[in-house]
Amino acid sequence: MRGRCRVVSSKEELFLLIRRDSWREGLSVRALARKYRVHRRLVREALCSAVPPPRRAPRRRSPRLEPFKKTIDQWLLDDLEAPPKQRHTVQRILTRLQQELGAEIAYSTMWDYVRRRRREIAEAAGAVPAAGFVIRHNQPGMDAEVDFGEAWVDLAGERTKCYLFAFRLAYSGKAVHRITASCSQEAFLDGHVHAFRTLGGIPAGQIRYDNLSPAVTRVIRKSRSREEHPRWTDFRQHYSITPFYCEPGLRGAHEKGGVEGQVGYWRRNYLTPVPRVDSLDELNDSFAAFERTEEARRIGMRIRTIGQDFAHEAPLLLPLPGEPFETGMAFNPRVDRYGMVAVRVCRYSVPVRFIGRTVHVLLRSNEVVIFHGRTEIARHPRLTTKGAERLVLDHFLEVLLTKPGALAGSEALDQARRAGTFTPVHEAFWSAAKHTLGETEGTKALVQVLLLHRHLQHRDVVSGIRAALAAGSCTTDVVALEARKAAETEGRSPTVTVTVPLSEPVAAPELPLPSLTERRTARLPPDQRPLLSAYKWTCTTSYG
């Protein structure tokens, strides 16, 4: 009696079942074919190999094209010696066959044949080199690779598209990363400075680049020559960089394959899941720890780790120049009547006392620093969205003292609330002051309390407001007194001398020219004559 056939989901499973029954039960080929309802030829294939042979693609014949194949092949062979712009296209071949030989062939049939035969004929004639890769020999301390990649970050609660700069040494594989809000020239140069500072030196050989717009303004066709951006030329001459620009397109990506994979590797391993940070500086600080972890990794089948190879490579790097290079771009905008300056496509606030004056702006990769003369008057994180505005409530307090009604609906107050600098404690003081002193005077009292933040620490002012509210007072003097008491209780000075938070000391850009008198005085030799005594000084006055 014929047994029931089991339902098999795949050919691989059928082969395994046939081989199992042949081994366990000793069934013959005929019995196995009868059991699984297959041909004996398939049973023999299963007994010979556990892996089914790949399915052969059917070769479709084209009876109408067959008589003309030799003619088409000859035309394609002749094309190898013809100028590139005067070679046969599929349409031209089809037209010639119709006009000269009376052929009736479909365009799709002709396209399939010509596409396959054109490459086969070129390879047979040696006109197309074989596709492959050549292993590059990297010497320690010589070559490096640079690339930019995209990355998403939950920045201050909002998903933001950022850009990852990667600088990778070719010999050791030691890589330095920096994430920025844009892929502008400032970010490009700032990434180099950070990489050189982290590595402790500069590669003595070539640094490989794509044709990035921060560095290259024009690619010279069919050559390795490039027209460089003037600022990039100054930068690479300052750091003695020898650039190597890869070919455009996919062929150029293979010329710096190490860093091409580095960007994706960093995203998958250290930016997944999407990081949540309050600022990009916080994320960049964590990159240092990640890079130290990477030094214990081995690349491919290498015997030594990245850190061991870098220890051999680091002493061979060129030393850093004595003077740093300012990567920021300088602008000279005028402060408008709203106390704002326009930089690129965004606007930033400055103290209102500078309205109508020309200020000096230093645009960096992640921040904007604003000077008046040589004094820093504002610092903001860099914005990238077109039309975005960054306002600091402290910049408008003098105006709000004369126009207190504008505070409630101001954009500066809304941004201060979202940033957390205008706390619920300030809201409570404002409500109590308006209830006690009235709408206008209560708002003025709040503005005067906000002015205390310029000289007292933020937490001390908040403690002073709480103490004043507990005592039922809404005056600025009580808040200032309680704030100083809170600081003295912790054993520290309550005063703050710096009103703008500084991440690092910045020198003002050398934009204003010195006066002619100062330049002439600087060239004079020092006066070696002794000072005149007051007793020997005589003055003769004659009257006509």
Side-chain angles (χ1 to χ4, degrees), residues 105-233:
I105 305 170
Y107 179 86
S108 59
T109 303
M110 180 64 67
W111 187 87
D112 291 337
Y113 181 76
V114 171
R115 180 179 63 88
R116 176 173 55 86
R117 288 297 293 161
R118 192 191 299 274
R119 182 169 184 85
E120 292 175 354
I121 292 173
E123 289 179 351
V128 178
F133 298 92
V134 179
I135 299 176
R136 179 179 175 82
H137 174 67
N138 297 308
Q139 298 180 4
M142 295 299 292
D143 297 340
E145 300 168 343
V146 169
D147 197 16
F148 255 123
E150 297 179 358
W152 289 89
V153 177
D154 287 339
L155 185 60
E158 182 178 355
R159 183 147 297 185
T160 308
K161 182 180 179 180
C162 300
Y163 297 88
L164 181 65
F165 175 88
F167 186 100
R168 183 180 184 272
L169 294 176
Y171 173 77
S172 63
K174 170 70 175 176
V176 181
H177 308 81
R178 190 165 183 82
I179 195 162
T180 56
S182 69
C183 56
S184 60
Q185 189 182 60
E186 303 85 59
F188 182 66
L189 301 182
D190 186 55
H192 280 81
V193 174
H194 172 71
F196 296 154
R197 190 185 303 118
T198 303
L199 298 173
I202 304 169
Q206 295 177 336
I207 302 181
R208 297 176 173 265
Y209 299 93
D210 285 330
N211 300 282
L212 301 167
S213 57
V216 176
T217 57
R218 190 167 76 93
V219 178
I220 308 300
R221 186 173 179 270
K222 292 185 178 181
S223 72
R224 291 286 184 176
S225 302
R226 303 290 187 268
E227 287 186 7
E228 296 181 338
H229 194 285
R231 186 166 173 79
W232 163 245
T233 303

Side-chain angles (χ1 to χ4, degrees), residues 448-449 452 468 473-483:
Q448 291 173 353
V449 168
L452 294 176
S473 175
C474 298
T475 61
T476 311
D477 295 339
V478 174
V479 174
L481 180 62
E482 294 296 334

Side-chain angles (χ1 to χ4, degrees), residues 306-379:
I306 294 176
Q308 291 171 342
D309 282 339
F310 178 66
H312 173 62
E313 186 175 24
L316 303 177
L317 299 174
L318 297 177
L320 296 173
E323 297 181 358
F325 188 93
E326 179 52 63
T327 59
M329 186 171 291
F331 297 91
N332 295 326
R334 181 179 294 273
V335 183
D336 61 18
R337 60 178 179 175
Y338 300 103
M340 307 284 287
V341 292
V343 183
R344 292 281 173 88
V345 292
C346 304
R347 302 193 343 154
Y348 305 88
S349 68
V350 299
V352 292
R353 63 181 180 274
F354 297 104
I355 288 178
R357 301 185 183 182
T358 300
V359 295
H360 311 304
V361 176
L362 198 59
L363 179 65
R364 289 182 164 180
S365 58
N366 285 334
E367 65 179 0
V368 176
V369 189
I370 305 174
F371 298 89
H372 183 259
R374 292 183 173 271
T375 305
E376 180 181 338
I377 60 175
R379 182 186 292 252

Side-chain angles (χ1 to χ4, degrees), residues 6 16-27 32 35 47:
R6 176 181 171 183
L16 292 177
L17 292 175
I18 292 174
R19 294 171 65 87
R20 185 197 64 183
D21 292 348
S22 174
W23 173 60
R24 288 184 178 179
E25 302 178 14
L27 297 179
L32 290 171
K35 179 178 180 179
L47 296 178

Side-chain angles (χ1 to χ4, degrees), residues 204 322 408 447 462 512:
V447 174
V462 173

Side-chain angles (χ1 to χ4, degrees), residues 336-476:
D336 61 18
R337 60 178 179 175
Y338 300 103
M340 307 284 287
V341 292
V343 183
R344 292 281 173 88
V345 292
C346 304
R347 302 193 343 154
Y348 305 88
S349 68
V350 299
V352 292
R353 63 181 180 274
F354 297 104
I355 288 178
R357 301 185 183 182
T358 300
V359 295
H360 311 304
V361 176
L362 198 59
L363 179 65
R364 289 182 164 180
S365 58
N366 285 334
E367 65 179 0
V368 176
V369 189
I370 305 174
F371 298 89
H372 183 259
R374 292 183 173 271
T375 305
E376 180 181 338
I377 60 175
R379 182 186 292 252
H380 301 275
R382 178 171 179 171
L383 305 175
T384 55
T385 307
K386 184 176 181 179
E389 295 180 342
R390 171 79 177 181
L391 293 87
V392 177
L393 182 58
D394 180 75
H395 294 165
F396 304 94
L397 295 181
E398 288 83 358
V399 173
L400 293 174
L401 276 176
T402 59
K403 298 180 179 180
L407 175 62
S410 63
E411 176 67 19
L413 177 61
D414 182 68
Q415 292 194 14
R417 283 170 173 160
R418 282 181 286 164
T421 55
F422 194 84
T423 63
V425 179
H426 293 86
E427 299 276 8
F429 180 87
W430 193 10
S431 299
K434 287 191 294 184
H435 179 73
T436 305
L437 306 174
E439 186 80 22
T440 302
E441 296 301 325
T443 303
K444 287 184 178 181
L446 172 67
V447 174
Q448 291 173 353
V449 168
L450 294 176
L451 286 168
L452 294 176
H453 287 283
R454 297 182 179 180
H455 310 288
L456 302 174
Q457 294 190 13
H458 185 274
R459 56 175 174 171
D460 294 336
V461 175
V462 173
S463 300
I465 294 174
R466 287 199 186 98
L469 291 176
S473 175
C474 298
T475 61
T476 311

